[in-house]
Amino acid sequence: MGDLAKAVAPLEEDAVEVRELRKIVERIDTEIEARMEEIEAIGADVLELHGDLDDQIAEYDYMAVEQSVASLGGLVDMERVLPSMDAVLLLTALRDDEPVPDLTLPLSSFEKQEVLEHPQLSQEDLDRAFEAALARADQRWEEVWGDHPWEDLEERDSKRAEERADTEREAIKNRAGRAGAHIMELIGYIGDTLWPDLVEALEAGARKRAVQVLAAACAAAQEAEPAYKLYEVNLSVQYESSPMSLGAMGEFLSDAEAWLMSPKAE
C-alpha cells in the first residue's frame, strides 16, 4: 500500500463512522419527532372533540355527548402518554449529550393538592343558581305588578302562576345548559390550556412539570364522566318540564315514549 493510500484509509474509516453516527442521530431525531407528533395529535383530537361536543349539546344529542366523553378517556390516558413523554425526554438527553432525566417519578407522587385544579361543578351549584333565578323573577314580578290595583285577585294569582311556570321552565333549561357547558369547559381546559403546557414542558426537558400537567389533564378527563351524569340528570328534568324545548331530540323522544305507552294490538 502506497503512502497516499495509507494516509487516506484512516480518513475513509472516520468518514464511515461519521456517516453511521449521523444515521443514528437521524434515527433518534425521527423517533423524537414521531413521539412528539403523537402527543401533539392528542391535543388536536381533544380540541376536535370539543368542537363536536358544541354541536352535540346544541342539538341535545345526549347519546353522542356520552360517546364523546368516553372517547376523551381513551385520548387522555396516562398509560398511553407517559411512555411517549419519557421516550422524548430520554432520547433528547442522549442526542444532546445531557444528563439522563430521572424517569422514576410516577403520577402517584403528586398529592391531590399539588395537581392543577380543573373546572368543577356540582348539583348543589346548579340548584343554587336555579333558586336564585326564581327569586330574581319573583322580585321583578313584585316590582312590576305588586302595586297594581287588581280588581280580580284570581286573575292576579293566575297571571303570577303562569309567569312563574314560564320562569321555572327557562331556569330548568338554563340549569341543563350550564351542565352541558361544564363538559365543554373541562375539555376546553385540557385542549387549550393543559396540553400546550405539556408540550412546552417536554420541549424544555422539564419532566416534573410535564408529569404534573399530565396528572391535571387525566384528573380533568376523569371528571368529565360525572360531569356527563350531571348533564344527563338535568337534561332529563328539562325534558320532563318541556319536551319540545329539546328540539328535534325532544320530538323524537316524545314520539318514542308515546309509541311505547300506546296499547298494542293483540
Side-chain angles (χ1 to χ4, degrees):
M1 181 181 294
D3 292 339
L4 181 58
K6 291 179 180 179
V8 169
L11 296 177
E12 290 179 339
E13 292 177 1
D14 290 344
V16 170
E17 290 181 2
V18 168
R19 285 195 296 272
E20 289 300 321
L21 287 173
R22 185 177 292 116
K23 288 180 181 178
I24 293 172
V25 171
E26 287 174 354
R27 286 199 296 271
I28 291 176
D29 284 341
T30 299
E31 184 63 21
I32 292 172
E33 184 178 352
R35 295 300 182 105
M36 283 299 297
E37 286 179 354
E38 177 186 340
I39 293 169
E40 290 170 349
I42 293 173
D45 289 342
V46 170
L47 290 177
E48 184 177 353
L49 198 63
H50 185 271
D52 292 341
L53 271 166
D54 195 13
D55 294 334
Q56 293 161 3
I57 290 174
E59 296 169 0
Y60 303 102
D61 190 349
Y62 63 94
M63 292 176 286
V65 174
E66 184 177 23
Q67 291 173 357
S68 293
V69 169
S71 297
L72 178 67
L75 290 172
V76 185
D77 180 3
M78 180 267 292
E79 294 183 359
R80 171 188 176 187
V81 180
L82 188 58
S84 292
M85 286 171 43
D86 285 346
V88 167
L89 293 166
L90 179 59
L91 291 172
T92 301
L94 292 174
R95 181 196 63 189
D96 298 341
D97 195 24
E98 294 178 351
V100 174
D102 180 8
L103 304 182
T104 62
L105 185 65
L107 287 175
S108 59
S109 67
F110 288 96
E111 298 295 335
K112 185 175 181 180
Q113 62 267 23
E114 292 187 64
V115 175
L116 301 177
E117 289 294 333
H118 54 260
Q120 298 185 25
L121 184 69
S122 68
Q123 186 64 52
E124 290 74 19
D125 296 329
L126 294 173
D127 289 343
R128 277 194 297 270
F130 174 80
E131 295 297 337
L134 295 184
R136 287 193 300 270
D138 286 341
Q139 182 179 357
R140 285 195 300 271
W141 199 93
E142 288 294 339
E143 291 171 355
V144 173
W145 297 105
D147 296 332
H148 185 76
W150 296 93
E151 295 181 1
D152 186 345
L153 294 182
E154 288 187 3
E155 181 186 357
R156 180 199 66 182
D157 293 343
S158 176
K159 181 176 180 62
R160 185 164 193 172
E162 181 181 345
E163 293 193 11
R164 170 82 179 197
D166 289 341
T167 298
E168 187 169 340
R169 280 192 293 271
E170 188 64 22
I172 289 172
K173 180 179 178 181
N174 290 340
R175 182 169 59 184
R178 186 180 173 194
H182 176 55
I183 301 174
M184 296 278 295
E185 187 179 8
L186 280 168
I187 296 179
Y189 177 61
I190 296 171
D192 286 325
T193 300
L194 294 178
W195 221 256
D197 286 352
L198 175 63
V199 171
E200 182 179 339
L202 281 177
E203 291 174 342
R207 185 179 190 266
K208 182 176 180 179
R209 173 64 180 171
V211 172
Q212 184 183 36
V213 176
L214 177 59
C218 290
Q222 291 169 1
E223 179 66 22
E225 291 188 15
Y228 170 75
K229 294 299 181 183
L230 192 66
Y231 165 72
E232 184 181 48
V233 166
N234 286 279
L235 193 65
S236 296
V237 175
Q238 180 183 339
Y239 172 72
E240 292 170 3
S241 170
S242 177
M244 293 304 100
S245 69
L246 272 63
M249 178 59 72
E251 184 176 355
F252 167 76
L253 292 173
S254 292
D255 290 345
E257 186 176 10
W259 181 80
L260 289 172
M261 297 297 293
S262 63
K264 303 297 186 292
E266 294 183 1

